[in-house]
Every structure is written in structure tokens, then in C-alpha cells.
């Protein structure tokens, strides 16, 4: 029934296996993601019942989190930043988390991710395809 329904189902399954734990959803198209930046975001998310990180364009969302006992109701797609704000989620506006915000929807986004530093597999694929961005 769509991405948000699948995410709700996954959160419910995680909570049934691990108690009423905090849950989060992270975009899969973050080729420059840095573990230390994600750790900072998750630490900040733990301070709020609902929180999210806007994408680099400021329109979408790359991470949505719900604390223990809080309904997990993601609103990914389209203008999800506005939808998450309207639902009462706190926007996590942290310095130094560019890799968590840089999803890839366009060739320009991919260039920006490459500038931030992509992982070895993404770099190899770009080289294999002779994509000089």
C-alpha cells in the first residue's frame, strides 16, 4: 500500500520484537552518508517524541524518528518536510550533517554527493560508467 504503509509495518514489526522501542526511517539514497553524522542525528532525535531531518533541497525528508510509545506515522513523498512539521515533528537543524541531508534525486544531487565523498562502491560504479560529474 505504498512506502509510508511499508515503513509503518516495519516499525510495528521492530517494536513487537524489541518492545516499544524508538524507531526511525532513513532514506536509502544517501551515498555520502557518514556514520558520525548519523550518530549525531540519532542522538538529537532521542530528545524529541517525533523528529525529522529535511533533505538538502529543503522540501523532502531523509530521516523520520519516533520515540518509545509514540506513534510512527511517516509522511514521505512530495513535500514531506511540511507534512512532518504539520504533524508536530521537530525538525533537527544541526550543523555538520550534510551527508544525512544529501539524498540523490537528480544528476546534480549525485554530483553534490560525490563532492561530499561517496563510498567505495558508489565511486567504483561512477568510474565504471565513466560518469564524470
Amino acid at each position: 500500500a505504498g512506502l509510508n504503509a511499508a515503513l509503518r509495518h516495519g516499525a510495528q514489526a521492530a517494536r513487537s520484537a524489541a518492545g516499544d522501542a524508538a524507531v526511525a526511517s532513513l532514506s536509502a539514497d544517501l551515498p555520502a552518508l557518514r556514520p558520525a553524522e548519523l550518530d549525531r542525528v540519532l542522538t538529537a532525535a532521542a530528545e524529541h517524541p517525533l523528529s525529522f531531518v529535511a533533505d538538502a533541497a529543503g522540501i523532502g525528508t531523509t530521516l523520520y524518528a519516533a520515540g518509545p510509545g509514540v506513534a510512527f506515522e511517516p509522511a514521505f513523498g512530495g513535500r514531506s518536510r511540511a507534512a512532518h512539521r504539520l504533524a508536530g515533528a521537530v525538525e533537527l537543524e544541526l550543523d555538520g550533517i550534510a551527508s544525512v541531508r544529501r539524498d540523490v534525486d537528480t544528476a546534480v544531487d549525485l554530483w553534490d554527493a560525490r563532492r561530499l565523498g561517496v563510498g567505495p562502491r558508489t565511486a567504483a560504479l561512477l568510474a565504471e560508467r565513466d560518469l564524470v560529474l
Side-chain angles (χ1 to χ4, degrees):
L3 175 62
N4 292 309
L7 293 172
R8 285 190 303 274
H9 176 76
Q12 182 181 25
R15 283 180 166 170
S16 68
D20 198 20
V23 290
S25 175
L26 179 68
S27 294
D29 60 343
L30 301 171
L33 185 64
R34 300 285 178 261
E37 292 181 23
L38 179 57
D39 183 59
R40 288 188 58 229
V41 167
L42 293 173
T43 298
E47 298 175 14
H48 306 282
L50 289 173
S51 60
F52 72 97
V53 173
D55 66 8
I59 298 169
T61 302
T62 60
L63 181 135
Y64 173 79
V70 179
F72 185 80
E73 293 293 334
F76 285 94
R79 299 187 172 278
S80 61
R81 179 187 188 192
H84 287 128
R85 274 185 169 174
L86 285 172
V90 172
E91 183 171 356
L92 301 175
E93 299 180 274
L94 307 171
D95 291 329
I97 61 164
S99 77
V100 183
R101 297 186 70 214
R102 177 70 285 152
D103 62 342
V104 175
D105 298 319
T106 69
V108 172
D109 295 344
L110 183 57
W111 177 88
D112 196 38
R114 188 173 187 187
R115 181 187 57 78
L116 289 172
V118 296
R121 290 191 174 110
T122 302
L125 180 64
L126 292 172
E128 176 187 314
R129 301 282 171 109
D130 198 27
L131 295 173
V132 179
L133 301 173

